[in-house]
Amino acid sequence: MSGIAGGIGVTDDKLLSRMLDVMQARGPDGVGYFSRSKINIGVTLLSLRDSGYDEPAIFKRSEDQVAVCDGYISNRRKLRGRLEARGHSFRTPSDVETIMCLHQEFGDALTELLDGDFALAVADGDSLYLARDRFGVKPLYYFFSQERNVFLFASELTALLQDEEFSPELEEQKMVDLIVPSYPVGNTTFLKGVMSVRPGHWLRVRRQGEQLQIEEKCYFRLSLDPDDSLSFDEAGKRLAELLIDAVGSRLTSAAEVGLALSGGADSTAIALIADRYHSKKLSTFTISSSPEHPDIKMARITAKRIKSDHQELIIDFEDYVQAIPRFAHLMERPLFHVGTTFYLFCAEVAKRVKVCLIGEAADSVLGGGIDCFVDKRAKELLCEGLRKANELGLDVSDEVLSIVSDLSEVQTYEQYLNNYLRAKLSDSFVAGVQFYYASAAACGVEVRDPFLARDLIGFLKVVPASLKVSRALLIDKYLFRRTCLRMFGSDIFDAVLCQKRGFGGPFREYARRFEQICELGISDEYVAAHPFGAYLPNKHRLVLFDLFKLIFIDNRGKYPSDIDVLSFISERGDATPATLQREVVTSRPNDFSARRGGVRPWSSRTQLSRLPA
C-alpha cells in the first residue's frame, strides 16, 4: 500500500512535495520523486519486505520511464515468469518493476493481466498512464484544468487540495443523486471538478500540441453469464479450488499477515484455508463491544482451532463517537459512520502487522444479504427515493436512473437476482468497502480480500444465481456455505453459520445510538434551514455532511484537531454538550443471550446437515 500523486503541466515546484506530505500515513517507510519535462510523479511507500531488502518507492527504467503503484499484484510471480520468457530481466522483486516491464511489453493492455488491488501510474515520455483495479478498491482521483492546462492525480482528495489555485466547491448533483440509491454513483466526487478513475478503467494523458488530451478506456466490465448446465457438485468443487488459490495469493508477503476474524462464515473460511492448505501462521484480530458477544465467542473457537496469535479488541461507545470526525476525514465523502469501529480496529492492528486479510466482499460476489430473497425491497427503496427527488423538483443523473430501471423493469426473480448481484459489485460495492480500505490506509495497514481474486470472480460470473442463493430455503451464499461444510465438516461451521447474530455487533448498535444523539442534539429548525435538509433522510446524515464541508471545503482538507463531535452537534440545536455527553455514557446492557434477531431460520444442526444440494 502506498500513496501516489503527480501530474502534467505543474509549475509549482513544491506542489508534489506537499501532496505527498499529507499522505504520509499511507506510506511511512519511504518517499520517491520523479520530475521531467513538466511530468511529476511521487509515492509514499509502505514497505512489506524484510528489513534486509531496500524496496524501491519508485521504479525508473530509463530517463523518461517510471512507475508507481498503490496496492499489490497477487500474480506477480507468474507474470515475471512470462516476462522472463520474453527476454526481460529484473533488478528487484517489487510489484512496481513488474508493472513497468508489463507496460513496455503490452502497453495499455497491461491491466488485463493483473490480479490484485491497485491504483498505478506510469510516465512514458510525454504521456501519463493511470489505471485502477477492477472493482475500485484502491482510490485514484484526478483534476483537469483546461484553462491552466494542468492535470493532477492522487490517492486522496486531500492531496489534490494542496494545489493552491484550485478552489474547492461542492458538487451539488452528487447530493441530489444520494436521495435515490443513498450511495455515490458514477465517477464524479463531492468536490466539483474532481473525478475518480472508474473501476476497471485506465486513462492516458498526453500532449497534443500545447494542449493536454485525456483518453479513457474500460478494460473490465462485470457481466453475469450464467451457465445453466453447471451442476451444484461441479460448481462446489471448482469454488473450493479457487478459494484455496485466492487465499494463498493474498498471503504472499514478507511481512507478518493478520486476519480480521469476525466469527462469521467468510473470515472463518479464510482462516481454515490458510491453516489447512497453506500452513500459514496468522495473527487474528476480533472487534466487538463486549467480550460476551456471540460473534467474538465464535471467533475464539476458530482462533483456537488454527492456533493463531489471537487478540480481542473491545471498543466502547465513547471512543466510537469521538473518532467520528477523524473517520469523516479519511472517508472523504459525507457518508457512513458505522465504519468508525473498523478505523479504531486498524489503529490497533497496525501495532502488530502491516498486512491484514478481510472477507468483506463475500456477500457481494457470493450472493449474500436479505435483498437476495425479497426482490421488492430494493426496488421499492429506489423508487421511493426517485419519487422524493421528483417531489423536490430535482433531476437525478442518468446513471441513477439506469440503476432504478435495472432492478424495477425485470419480469422474473431470476432476472432480478442477476441484476441485483451485478449492482452489488458496482458503485454500491465501492461505497460499501471504502471505509475498510480508507481506515486501513489511514493507519498504515494494507488490507486484502481473497474474495476479489480475478479467477474467482471470473468463475462466479458463470455460476447461476439459483446455485448462489436458495430462495426456497432462505439461505444466502448457499453454494459457498455448502462448499465450506464439505471442506471442513460441521464441527465448527455449524456453530458459525447458525449462531451468528447479524445485528448484534457494535457497528449497528453504536450507529443507532449515535443517530439518537443526533436526533436529540439537532433542532428541527436547523434541518429546515439547512440547504440540504430536505435531501437527507435523517439528522446524523446532516452532521456527516457538515463535517465534510468543514474539512474539505472550508479547511481545504486540513483536519481541525480541536474538533469535538458533541460540541459540533450541540451548535446545531438546543442541547448542551454536557447533555449529549450524558447520553454517551448512559449504561446500556449487552444482554446478547436474550436476543433472537438475526438468527437464521435453518438454525439447528440437523437441518443444516440435511440441506439438499
Side-chain angles (χ1 to χ4, degrees):
M1 185 196 73
S2 304
I4 63 174
I8 300 180
V10 178
T11 57
D12 183 347
D13 294 338
K14 297 181 179 180
L15 176 57
L16 181 59
S17 178
R18 295 198 303 272
M19 295 172 76
L20 295 177
D21 284 346
V22 298
M23 296 193 295
Q24 280 297 313
R26 302 181 71 91
D29 299 326
V31 180
Y33 299 89
F34 170 82
S35 180
R36 179 186 179 276
S37 185
K38 291 190 177 182
I39 293 184
N40 300 276
I41 289 183
V43 59
T44 62
L45 175 71
L46 177 70
S47 178
L48 303 179
R49 303 289 173 186
D50 294 320
S51 58
Y53 167 63
D54 188 17
E55 184 173 3
I58 188 169
F59 188 82
K60 184 177 178 181
R61 172 64 73 177
S62 64
E63 289 302 317
D64 61 354
Q65 290 183 322
V66 297
V68 293
C69 179
D70 169 25
Y72 69 98
I73 308 303
S74 62
N75 62 338
R76 172 176 53 86
R77 291 179 180 175
K78 292 181 180 179
L79 292 173
R80 288 167 78 91
R82 183 173 176 179
L83 288 166
E84 286 171 341
R86 290 172 174 253
H88 288 265
S89 59
F90 294 90
R91 304 199 297 265
T92 74
S94 66
D95 286 347
V96 71
E97 183 178 8
T98 306
I99 290 168
M100 187 75 260
C101 292
L102 287 170
H103 186 264
Q104 287 184 311
E105 189 70 35
F106 299 102
D108 296 340
L110 76 92
T111 48
E112 299 174 21
L113 305 173
L114 301 179
D115 183 16
D117 305 332
F118 58 85
L120 60 86
V122 178
D124 185 2
D126 291 331
S127 71
L128 184 64
Y129 174 83
L130 306 177
R132 194 175 177 200
D133 62 72
R134 288 167 175 76
F135 296 103
V137 166
K138 294 294 183 179
L140 188 55
Y141 302 105
Y142 67 93
F143 167 73
F144 175 47
S145 171
Q146 289 185 318
E147 180 182 353
R148 296 163 53 201
N149 204 30
V150 168
F151 178 92
L152 296 174
F153 72 91
S155 299
E156 296 180 4
L157 293 180
T158 306
L160 294 179
L161 291 172
Q162 301 310 303
D163 177 12
E164 295 173 351
E165 296 188 53
F166 173 67
S167 298
E169 298 178 39
L170 180 70
E171 177 55 77
E172 294 192 16
Q173 184 61 51
K174 208 72 174 176
M175 297 300 297
V176 173
D177 287 349
L178 277 182
I179 297 173
V180 183
S182 76
Y183 55 81
V185 173
N187 69 327
T188 57
T189 70
F190 288 92
L191 294 182
K192 185 176 294 184
V194 178
M195 313 294 284
S196 177
V197 176
R198 296 176 187 270
H201 283 66
W202 57 255
L203 296 183
R204 170 73 69 178
V205 187
R206 54 165 56 92
R207 293 186 180 278
Q208 296 288 344
E210 293 299 317
Q211 296 299 311
L212 295 178
Q213 301 292 328
I214 301 176
E215 177 188 3
E216 179 184 25
K217 185 175 181 180
C218 174
Y219 71 88
F220 174 80
R221 180 175 286 108
L222 181 68
S223 60
L224 300 181
D225 306 304
D227 179 3
D228 293 329
S229 67
L230 188 66
S231 71
F232 193 92
D233 286 342
E234 290 173 330
K237 291 177 182 177
R238 183 58 180 151
L239 177 60
E241 294 170 357
L242 291 170
L243 286 172
I244 293 169
D245 290 344
V247 172
S249 68
R250 267 63 183 171
L251 288 171
T252 305
S253 173
E256 184 181 356
V257 179
L259 168 65
L261 190 59
S262 69
D266 310 324
S267 62
T268 303
I270 295 173
L272 296 180
I273 289 172
D275 179 62
R276 175 178 294 186
Y277 296 97
H278 301 287
S279 301
K280 184 71 174 184
K281 180 72 173 179
L282 292 175
S283 295
T284 53
F285 305 88
T286 301
I287 185 172
S288 185
S289 59
S290 166
E292 299 305 314
H293 190 279
D295 294 354
I296 209 169
K297 291 181 177 179
M298 292 301 102
R300 285 176 198 153
I301 294 173
T302 302
K304 184 177 181 180
R305 175 167 176 170
I306 67 172
K307 298 181 175 61
S308 66
D309 183 3
H310 188 60
Q311 183 176 353
E312 296 175 358
L313 308 173
I314 307 301
I315 306 297
D316 66 38
F317 182 57
E318 188 168 5
D319 288 339
Y320 173 88
V321 170
Q322 291 303 327
I324 285 174
R326 178 63 73 179
F327 181 71
H329 181 222
L330 64 92
M331 277 294 291
E332 302 187 319
R333 57 189 69 186
L335 295 171
F336 308 136
H337 57 86
V338 292
T340 303
T341 46
F342 194 75
Y343 165 62
L344 295 170
F345 171 82
C346 288
E348 291 298 317
V349 169
K351 299 174 183 178
R352 297 276 305 280
V353 300
K354 287 186 175 182
V355 179
C356 188
L357 303 190
I358 61 174
E360 298 308 319
D363 278 3
S364 296
V365 303
L366 295 166
I370 190 173
D371 286 329
C372 289
F373 309 122
V374 188
D375 54 323
K376 293 182 179 180
R377 181 173 179 267
K379 293 185 290 186
E380 289 175 351
L381 288 174
L382 288 171
C383 292
E384 180 182 336
L386 191 58
R387 284 193 296 270
K388 180 178 179 180
N390 291 334
E391 290 170 0
L392 294 171
L394 301 171
D395 295 325
V396 300
S397 66
D398 290 341
E399 289 169 300
V400 170
L401 292 175
S402 177
I403 294 172
V404 176
S405 63
D406 276 354
L407 292 182
S408 59
E409 298 176 7
V410 292
Q411 303 301 318
T412 66
Y413 168 73
E414 191 81 9
Q415 290 175 335
Y416 161 79
L417 188 55
N418 275 317
N419 288 358
Y420 173 72
L421 294 178
R422 187 179 66 248
K424 285 191 71 173
L425 281 168
S426 57
D427 292 303
S428 67
F429 174 77
V430 176
V433 301
Q434 180 68 21
F435 71 75
Y436 293 103
Y437 289 86
S439 296
C443 299
V445 176
E446 179 174 283
V447 289
R448 301 176 176 179
D449 196 327
F451 293 102
L452 290 177
R454 185 184 64 172
D455 291 345
L456 177 61
I457 295 294
F459 169 69
L460 291 172
K461 287 167 56 176
V462 304
V463 176
S466 59
L467 299 187
K468 296 176 183 176
V469 177
S470 175
R471 194 184 193 190
L473 296 169
L474 293 180
I475 303 177
D476 63 346
K477 292 186 290 191
Y478 181 57
L479 176 64
F480 170 69
R481 296 181 191 280
R482 287 299 305 272
T483 299
C484 289
L485 284 173
R486 289 176 177 176
M487 293 174 71
F488 303 112
S490 61
D491 289 345
I492 192 166
F493 261 84
D494 272 3
V496 172
L497 293 176
C498 302
Q499 297 182 29
K500 187 177 190 303
R501 272 73 168 175
F503 301 97
F507 297 93
R508 295 184 183 273
E509 174 67 16
Y510 283 6
R512 182 186 62 80
R513 289 172 61 184
F514 175 68
E515 290 161 15
Q516 288 177 341
I517 289 172
C518 292
E519 290 295 324
L520 172 66
I522 299 176
S523 67
D524 293 340
E525 290 77 12
Y526 181 80
V527 176
H530 197 287
F532 296 103
Y535 290 38
L536 300 173
N538 40 50
K539 293 179 180 179
H540 79 272
R541 293 284 292 273
L542 283 181
V543 172
L544 298 177
F545 171 82
D546 287 352
L547 284 171
F548 173 85
K549 181 179 180 298
L550 171 65
I551 296 171
F552 291 98
I553 296 179
D554 300 341
N555 286 11
R556 298 183 61 88
K558 184 179 180 180
Y559 181 75
S561 58
D562 60 344
I563 192 170
D564 174 78
V565 68
L566 298 183
S567 297
F568 190 80
I569 294 171
S570 71
E571 292 168 0
R572 288 149 176 77
D574 299 324
T576 67
T579 299
L580 300 179
Q581 180 64 28
R582 284 195 294 272
E583 285 293 311
V584 171
V585 300
T586 298
S587 176
R588 296 173 189 247
N590 278 325
D591 184 11
F592 297 109
S593 62
R595 294 190 178 185
R596 298 301 181 199
V599 179
R600 299 191 181 277
W602 36 279
S603 57
S604 78
R605 180 188 178 99
T606 303
Q607 283 179 291
L608 184 62
S609 63
R610 293 179 179 176
L611 287 181

